[in-house]
Amino acid sequence: MSGFTVLVMAKAPVAGRAKTRLAAHTGDDVAADLAAAALLDTVAAVEATPGARGHLALAGDLADGARGADLADAVRGWTITPQRGRTFAERLVAAHEDAGHGPVVQVGMDTPHLTSDLLLGAARDLGAYDACLGPAPDGGWWVLARRDPRVAAPLATVVMSTAATHDDTRAALLAAGHTVGATARLRDVDTIDDAHEVARLAPDTHFARTLRAWVDSTAVAP
């Protein structure tokens, strides 16, 4: 594929609003810092991917969150549009509308172990289908690839963040008459167990280093 857009759905990593399930273990400030680190890793993966153009669909203002200056520098040159809609499902549909026509690989900010190979794989898999979904172990999905933004319209009817979200999304796309392929499976970060596992899988990421620093700071000396 000669070129494609990577659409990143992201929330400004503001303490008290970002990664609230992680915050129950780490505190609000550390959870926000982990969210910022994950977004930096995601942006870096896009930047390292041949032919990829970055598009950030953003809720909030990066300047209000952790590592705001670093994130602003990281997405310089990207297309940035505000998220629109009442529900996350509606915001997904609107973001695809804003990304426009052509091949788009949409991800979130919860997969700091994202790689160029995974992004390129999702784009290649799209060649034979109207849409491709990448499942996550918790029943959700981490990536949706498509060529036509209208393909994403059925997402508005899907309840997100449940154990059935992947299957419900696939069913909604099929019911709308679209062909749907499957791409790689990838774990996203919602819980502290997810965080530790993802950091183990990708130890050289901003996310893993940030998690290790927090673990080290909370260690009790013998």
Side-chain angles (χ1 to χ4, degrees):
M1 182 170 289
S2 60
F4 62 99
T5 296
V6 180
L7 173 62
V8 179
M9 298 291 295
K11 179 192 295 186
V14 177
R17 300 179 187 174
K19 287 293 166 200
T20 54
R21 292 174 70 183
L22 275 182
H25 296 271
T26 66
D28 290 342
D29 290 339
V30 172
D33 200 33
L34 285 165
L39 183 52
L40 284 170
D41 289 323
T42 303
V43 171
V46 177
E47 289 288 303
T49 302
R53 301 175 295 271
H55 183 144
L56 181 66
L58 182 64
D61 189 332
L62 293 177
D64 295 333
R67 308 196 195 192
D70 290 342
L71 286 167
D73 285 343
V75 297
R76 188 167 285 117
W78 283 39
T79 299
I80 302 176
T81 53
Q83 292 186 17
R84 301 179 287 113
R86 294 176 298 108
T87 66
F88 183 57
E90 290 177 355
R91 294 195 293 274
L92 282 169
V93 174
H96 277 274
E97 291 173 354
D98 291 340
H101 287 269
V104 170
V105 176
Q106 178 250 305
V107 298
M109 58 184 288
D110 299 330
T111 51
H113 50 328
L114 183 66
T115 65
S116 295
D117 285 345
L118 287 167
L119 291 171
L120 289 168
R124 284 194 299 267
D125 290 345
L126 180 61
Y129 301 96
D130 297 326
C132 281
L133 277 176
D138 63 1
W141 50 268
W142 69 272
V143 65
L144 168 65
R146 56 76 180 169
R147 289 185 297 273
D148 187 330
R150 292 172 294 184
V151 169
L155 271 62
T157 66
V158 178
V159 179
M160 297 293 162
S161 302
T162 77
T165 293
H166 172 272
D167 291 347
D168 291 347
T169 300
R170 180 178 174 82
L173 292 168
L174 290 170
H178 303 306
T179 56
V180 183
T183 192
R185 179 183 176 94
L186 194 66
R187 184 171 187 164
D188 53 12
V189 175
D190 291 314
T191 68
I192 192 66
D193 289 341
D194 294 332
H196 284 297
E197 176 61 13
V198 166
R200 184 190 68 80
L201 292 171
D204 296 327
T205 57
H206 293 287
F207 182 85
R209 290 192 292 271
T210 302
L211 185 67
R212 286 196 298 269
W214 169 71
V215 170
D216 290 346
S217 73
T218 59
V220 178

